[in-house]
Amino acid sequence: MTDPILSLRNLSVTFDIRPRGAWPWTQPLKLHAVSDMSFDLQPGECLGVVGESGSGKSTLARAIVGTVPSSGGQINFEGHDLADMTPRQRRVHRRDVQMIFQDPLAALNPRMTVGDIIAEPLVTHEPNVSRADRKARVQDMMQRVGLLPNLVNRYPHEFSGGQCQRIGIARALILKPKLLICDEPVSALDVSVQAQVVNLLRELQRDMGLSMIFIAHDLSVVKHISDRVVVMYLGRQMEVGEAQTITMRPEHPYTQALIASVPIPDPVLERKRARRTLDGELPSPISPPSGCVFRTRCPKAQPSCAKAIPPMLEVAPGHLVACPYHEPENVLAVSA
Amino acid sequence: MPAYSSDAERLIEVSHLAEVQGRSLWADARSRFVRNKAAMAGAFILIVIAFFALFGQLIAQYERDMIDFTLIGANMQKGVPSIETGHYFGTDSSGRDLFARVVQGTQISLMVGIVGALVAVIVGTLYGAVAGYAGGRTDDVMMRLVDVLMSIPFMFVLILMLVIFGRSIFMLFLGIGLISWLDMARIARGQTLSIKNKEFVEVAHATGVAPFKIIMRHIVPNLLGIVIVYATLLVPQMIIFESFISFLGLGVQEPNTSLGALISQGASNMAYGVLWQLFFPLGFFVLTIFGFFFVGDGLRDALDPKDR
Ligand SMILES: Nc1ncnc2c1ncn2[C@@H]1O[C@H](COP(=O)(O)OP(=O)(O)OP(=O)(O)O)[C@@H](O)[C@H]1O
Ligand code: SF4
Ligand SMILES: [Mg+2]
């Protein structure tokens, strides 16, 4: 195996929360957005990250990009720890790791033309490129993501959601980065457009040899594009494994519940299936449950689950589950 | 976007289309503004007043500081506004041509308003944007300073300054420049706080764009709408402010004058029946103020983010 391009070791991110009206000298509360995440990403691999809203997926992405500081653990990008990079290495990191966002319009400055938006990373990192070259590269990139190159002088509000997402993708890829982080890139798009954008990303990933982290709140999109999947709950990883394994034979109760809560489009299959929805609310990340964080909603919870945080057990090579009471469940034998 | 029925058609379309010029948000706002009648009337009034201030001296028949001694004491009879004598707006109580003086008064008043607004736009916007974007302790310190400056009764300080250092236009501009940016800084900071959480700012930050460039490229252009609206509403405020100082007799010094000073003189001579001495400067004052308010209102509607 080659060296991983990205490796996380026990990464934690906490936010200081000051309750309203608290004295300035009282200790702020700690919000645990991401706790104890560890995984490796191989060059050219696509890793899916799934979890409910509020499980810390975006925070994880931001920590890897470097826009929120980590509060513990390490993020190694190409062997360098993000926390103690030299300014030079940091520059390289900033150009080699790019991100695209959930809300495609909000990610584009409404006062800039599409051409200027896509060119911004280029202007920042290669200021010596001539105007003509820059324009050629921008238009080339636009073509690659499926935008008409003669629209360079248009403004973001003149485009549809799917087109805005393509603009975001063009901007992220113009510097030929090594790692692309997609934070729910299709959740805000029409279903008909979602597939187009996912296919485009898959195509670009293959052509450019990108490593990718693809975030989504359920497995339905992720399983098409990812090689491996990390399932997150309340900032912690619950299960890691091959996309095929996670979708077909999940072992962690949370993954099983997550899959079961998504309806199947086929009504016959849907009726056959034992539906278990996720009851209750996501607990507050300010005071997460002791022991296993999922125990407040887990159908298999035991008294011992409250005692200690369950370690990641390797149930098969490359398949890790954070639950001692795991058992395989063939979720959808029929449709497989 | 036209719908393309086939790839071939799309290709033909591509080769035929020249680069399309997009419609910026500014262009949208401009067309909305042009459709607003009150705002256009305001803009028209302001243009006429600006022309009057710039070129009025050319049609004035008298120098503004020429005292016609034959008129002193006989103002009520001989100083009446008339086309024949060339005193279009009549004369003031010292026998000076009121037309020429109103031209100069308008000049000074407009200048006070515009300088005040410019200082506010440049200093206030940058100050607020930097404070808001930096956040944390820098923001705290910078905004507390604004609070402190705001809590000083500036009218009082300015009057003291004018009394101690002598009355001069420079002092007046200094005083107005000192206060005008404070509100603007607060407004700009508030807006910056919401803009900096937008994802396009995060992208720029993640890509490694330098903080100052982020402020100039991503924050300030998105602030500009509200800044322009506030600036046009600030101009009349500054004019009123100057007029008040001049009304107290502390503003512009003779032989120079401003609308406020002229109104003050006109008001004190009202009892002698020379009402034109009050009405001409007052008319220009009111028209200018209304013009700016209408334009400001129109800009606010045109640039309103709700419509986007
Ligand atoms: N800047 C911040 N300051 C304080 N708390 C934050 C901040 N950003 C995120 N959080 C909190 O961290 C937790 C995880 O948020 P995050 O946005 O990472 O979740 P997510 O999995 O991306 O959710 P979604 O699917 O809704 O995007 C949430 O409880 C959120 O309120
Ligand atoms: S450790 Fe216990 S509570 Fe957590 S998932 Fe397993 S069974 Fe459920
Ligand atoms: Mg998110």
Side-chain angles (χ1 to χ4, degrees):
Chain A
M1 235 187 191
T2 42
D3 285 340
I5 182 164
L6 177 79
S7 83
L8 304 193
R9 288 292 168 265
N10 308 97
L11 174 72
S12 299
V13 179
T14 57
F15 294 110
D16 286 350
I17 301 291
R18 282 189 181 283
R20 269 177 187 281
W23 297 108
W25 54 84
T26 48
Q27 278 291 318
L29 298 171
K30 293 259 182 260
L31 186 151
H32 302 267
V34 172
S35 316
D36 214 12
M37 295 277 295
S38 304
F39 61 76
D40 286 349
L41 181 71
Q42 301 299 328
E45 187 188 25
C46 178
L47 179 74
V49 177
V50 293
E52 282 167 277
S53 182
S55 54
K57 307 179 298 292
S58 298
T59 307
L60 174 71
R62 293 194 161 104
I64 296 171
V65 174
T67 51
V68 298
S70 61
S71 48
Q74 291 176 345
I75 303 171
N76 291 305
F77 181 73
E78 297 197 305
H80 303 292
D81 186 358
L82 210 63
D84 46 46
M85 277 185 170
T86 62
R88 216 188 128 80
Q89 288 168 338
R90 191 171 298 273
R91 245 186 113 66
V92 172
H93 171 258
R94 289 204 185 292
R95 78 168 277 167
D96 283 348
V97 181
Q98 295 284 328
M99 185 161 168
I100 56 182
F101 290 86
Q102 174 170 3
D103 183 346
L105 191 58
L108 308 175
N109 184 344
R111 305 276 173 196
M112 279 164 86
T113 62
V114 168
D116 287 342
I117 290 172
I118 297 175
E120 185 170 42
L122 201 55
V123 174
T124 309
H125 287 276
E126 297 175 24
N128 299 327
V129 174
S130 76
R131 204 170 266 276
D133 270 3
R134 198 189 301 151
K135 191 167 170 188
R137 277 173 74 174
V138 167
Q139 295 197 321
D140 184 47
M141 200 66 230
M142 286 176 78
Q143 219 149 13
R144 277 188 88 164
V145 299
L147 290 166
L148 295 181
N150 55 12
L151 300 179
V152 273
N153 292 326
R154 293 274 184 148
Y155 289 86
H157 62 113
E158 300 175 288
F159 290 86
S160 68
Q163 287 173 316
C164 284
Q165 198 54 285
R166 286 170 197 265
I167 297 168
I169 295 171
R171 167 179 55 195
L173 295 184
I174 193 143
L175 289 174
K176 303 202 169 28
K178 293 181 177 154
L179 173 60
L180 180 66
I181 300 176
C182 311
D183 188 1
E184 305 200 32
V186 297
S187 315
L189 304 179
D190 285 348
V191 182
S192 56
V193 187
Q194 287 188 355
Q196 292 173 17
V197 172
V198 170
N199 288 340
L200 172 70
L201 281 170
R202 198 151 58 166
E203 219 171 90
L204 288 165
Q205 189 214 357
R206 206 178 311 125
D207 294 351
M208 301 177 76
L210 286 169
S211 311
M212 205 149 94
I213 292 181
F214 191 101
I215 297 173
H217 52 251
D218 64 57
L219 276 158
S220 56
V221 179
V222 165
K223 68 182 176 203
H224 293 301
I225 190 167
S226 318
D227 304 309
R228 282 192 308 140
V229 173
V230 177
V231 180
M232 274 181 87
Y233 181 81
L234 212 64
R236 291 181 176 275
Q237 54 195 31
M238 298 286 109
E239 187 165 6
V240 185
E242 300 284 324
Q244 189 73 18
T245 322
I246 300 281
T247 38
M248 289 309 160
R249 291 175 65 79
E251 302 231 353
H252 195 281
Y254 177 62
T255 317
Q256 291 164 356
L258 198 63
I259 292 174
S261 63
V262 177
I264 313 172
D266 186 332
V268 181
L269 290 181
E270 174 69 27
R271 243 176 290 120
K272 272 191 199 157
R273 188 168 67 151
R275 254 324 259 291
R276 274 183 330 235
T277 46
L278 269 171
D279 300 324
E281 303 257 305
L282 194 70
S284 161
I286 296 176
S287 49
S290 66
C292 174
V293 283
F294 185 52
R295 71 178 163 82
T296 53
R297 297 162 82 190
C298 180
K300 296 183 189 160
Q302 312 283 324
S304 64
C305 296
K307 299 236 170 61
I309 296 175
M312 294 294 281
L313 304 171
E314 185 151 18
V315 296
H319 186 183
L320 303 167
V321 181
C323 172
Y325 307 104
H326 66 88
E327 57 185 327
E329 184 188 64
N330 215 338
V331 214
L332 266 185
V334 234
S335 79
Chain B
M1 280 283 297
Y4 297 103
S5 54
S6 74
D7 275 3
E9 202 177 313
R10 179 185 170 125
L11 225 89
I12 295 167
E13 201 55 73
V14 173
S15 49
H16 280 223
L17 280 175
E19 247 164 50
V20 199
Q21 199 55 49
R23 273 180 77 73
S24 69
L25 293 178
W26 298 120
D28 282 352
R30 200 181 315 128
S31 67
R32 262 198 297 266
F33 183 81
V34 169
R35 268 182 272 130
N36 182 335
K37 297 212 174 58
M40 286 308 279
F44 178 74
I45 291 174
L46 286 185
I47 290 171
V48 172
I49 288 175
F51 266 95
F52 174 78
L54 286 174
F55 304 114
Q57 225 59 268
L58 301 177
I59 39 171
Q61 302 293 313
Y62 301 88
E63 291 293 316
R64 63 185 151 81
D65 47 0
M66 196 199 76
I67 297 177
D68 188 344
F69 289 100
T70 63
L71 288 181
I72 295 179
N75 225 317
M76 191 53 208
Q77 293 81 41
K78 294 188 193 162
V80 187
S82 99
I83 305 284
E84 286 109 73
T85 58
H87 292 299
Y88 306 130
F89 290 180
T91 58
D92 71 359
S93 43
S94 319
R96 290 174 294 196
D97 182 34
L98 198 59
F99 182 84
R101 288 178 67 73
V102 170
V103 169
Q104 202 222 358
T106 311
Q107 272 174 7
I108 298 252
S109 287
L110 280 182
M111 210 148 77
V112 165
I114 289 167
V115 167
L118 269 184
V119 172
V121 166
I122 296 167
V123 179
T125 308
L126 278 182
Y127 192 92
V130 168
Y133 186 70
R137 211 159 287 277
T138 319
D139 179 32
D140 279 349
V141 171
M142 285 176 83
M143 291 327 283
R144 282 308 84 74
L145 182 70
V146 169
D147 291 346
V148 168
L149 287 176
M150 267 194 159
S151 65
I152 300 173
F154 256 97
M155 192 60 92
F156 178 71
V157 172
L158 184 62
I159 290 171
L160 266 186
M161 270 164 58
L162 289 168
V163 170
I164 296 170
F165 300 110
R167 294 179 259 158
S168 70
I169 296 214
F170 175 74
M171 269 298 150
L172 198 66
F173 277 129
L174 192 73
I176 283 175
L178 275 178
I179 48 162
S180 63
W181 64 275
L182 295 173
D183 269 320
M184 189 67 94
R186 280 191 172 170
I187 292 171
R189 172 189 174 263
Q191 287 287 309
T192 305
L193 287 185
S194 70
I195 295 171
K196 86 166 176 184
N197 286 326
K198 291 263 169 71
E199 280 148 4
F200 62 83
V201 175
E202 192 179 345
V203 180
H205 174 53
T207 310
V209 182
F212 192 69
K213 283 218 176 105
I214 293 184
I215 291 178
M216 297 312 280
R217 199 182 291 159
H218 295 290
I219 308 261
V220 169
N222 284 291
L223 283 177
L224 230 45
I226 193 150
V227 165
I228 290 172
V229 171
Y230 186 69
T232 38
L233 298 176
L234 195 65
V235 173
Q237 226 171 301
M238 291 295 128
I239 293 178
I240 293 172
F241 184 76
E242 185 278 336
S243 296
F244 180 68
I245 303 263
S246 292
F247 195 85
L248 296 179
L250 288 167
V252 184
Q253 260 196 313
E254 292 289 346
N256 293 326
T257 191
S258 75
L259 289 179
L262 287 172
I263 293 168
S264 157
Q265 284 160 12
S268 59
N269 290 337
M270 230 162 37
Y272 309 118
V274 286
L275 286 179
W276 62 85
Q277 289 186 14
L278 177 62
F279 287 153
F280 282 107
L282 194 62
F284 273 86
F285 180 77
V286 169
L287 280 179
T288 312
I289 304 285
F290 270 87
F292 274 109
F293 278 139
F294 280 140
V295 169
D297 254 14
L299 284 174
R300 179 164 47 207
D301 291 343
L303 296 166
D304 197 337
K306 271 203 308 277
D307 290 349
R308 272 171 219 152

